[in-house]
Amino acid sequence: MVALMALIGLFCGDRIRALARSYDDLPAPAPSWPALEPVCAGVAALVAWRAGLPYVCFAVIGLALAVIDWRTSTLPDAITLPAYPITALALLPTGELPRALAGGAALVAAYGLLWLVRPQAMGFGDVKLAGLIGMAAGALGWQAVVLAAFCGQLLGALYGLALLLTGRGTRDTQFPFGPFMLLGALTTLCLAW
């Protein structure tokens, strides 16, 4: 089953590349992302192995969102919003859909509060993404919701610190936060609660 998920991930990587290019309207040429297909295959296989099949769809959608956000600093509603019912349907066989929905609501509330306090520090797309992450982590348990949120914040803070230490940024430097949120969620899923 893991090998099949890797093959599906390989195919999805090509689709993610095309999808990401459709959102790329920046003047600089789009990066080629040469390792996107094998990365997607690896992510799909790893999540299938560690967390189970219901989480593979979330992981692939998350990878697409991370690639788009990294390049454009945008988390498109056209992907994020349909990902909610898709993730809910995928999580239905776990029997943990009510807790997944509660986890999604909890993270939307937490990130929504952060956005209200400092809207210049976080985009509203990150708030919508938090709900999706909360759903995926919530199906694993409340500890997973807390860990996913903490890991995303920690990874984003470490990246910001690295920008400061290398002189490539200041305290006011903006960078896309979605990829770090999603990497935190992936880390949580792969711990196989």
Side-chain angles (χ1 to χ4, degrees), residues 101-182:
L101 295 173
L107 277 191
V108 162
Y111 277 77
L113 182 60
L114 291 172
W115 179 75
L116 284 172
V117 171
R118 283 197 70 209
Q120 70 278 14
M122 177 181 297
F124 196 65
D126 295 327
V127 176
K128 291 179 265 187
L129 178 60
L132 193 58
I133 290 169
M135 282 178 62
L140 295 172
W142 286 105
Q143 300 92 341
V145 173
V146 172
L147 183 62
F150 174 76
C151 285
Q153 293 289 326
L154 177 65
L155 292 168
L158 289 173
Y159 180 75
L161 183 61
L163 289 177
L164 284 172
L165 293 175
T166 60
R168 295 183 335 176
T170 67
R171 287 181 43 138
D172 297 323
T173 299
Q174 300 274 329
F175 59 88
F177 193 58
F180 300 102
M181 294 170 64
L182 288 159

Side-chain angles (χ1 to χ4, degrees), residues 4-17:
L4 177 61
M5 289 301 103
L7 285 174
I8 290 171
L10 197 62
F11 171 77
C12 289
D14 183 57
R15 301 293 92 215
I16 290 171
R17 180 186 306 280

